[in-house]
Amino acid sequence: MLTDGVVEGPRLTLDSGLERAGALAAEALHDGLSADATAERILDAAVAVDHLDDVAVLVIRRT
């Protein structure tokens, strides 16, 4: 789950942002990252495109 600030911004459309967040989450799962590390990877990508909105990511991993 994530806020709109993570997936859309001045240089990122909603569709592109959702696709990007999904791809990052899939890569993190493939890499065996923890839930915290997965959220951090997604948030780092949001920061990299200069989002001005608030951002939040919730990752729950069942084991």
Side-chain angles (χ1 to χ4, degrees):
M1 183 181 332
L2 40 83
T3 61
D4 65 332
V6 174
V7 294
E8 67 180 340
R11 294 182 286 166
L12 188 64
T13 66
L14 178 61
D15 289 338
S16 295
L18 288 170
E19 185 176 324
R20 181 178 180 179
L24 289 168
E27 289 172 12
L29 179 63
H30 180 266
D31 293 344
L33 297 183
S34 68
D36 288 338
T38 299
E40 189 171 325
R41 182 177 282 187
I42 294 168
L43 287 173
D44 287 346
V47 170
V49 293
D50 296 327
H51 286 246
L52 301 175
D53 200 356
D54 60 320
V55 296
V57 174
L58 173 65
V59 177
I60 299 171
R61 180 164 292 164
R62 296 186 327 177
T63 56

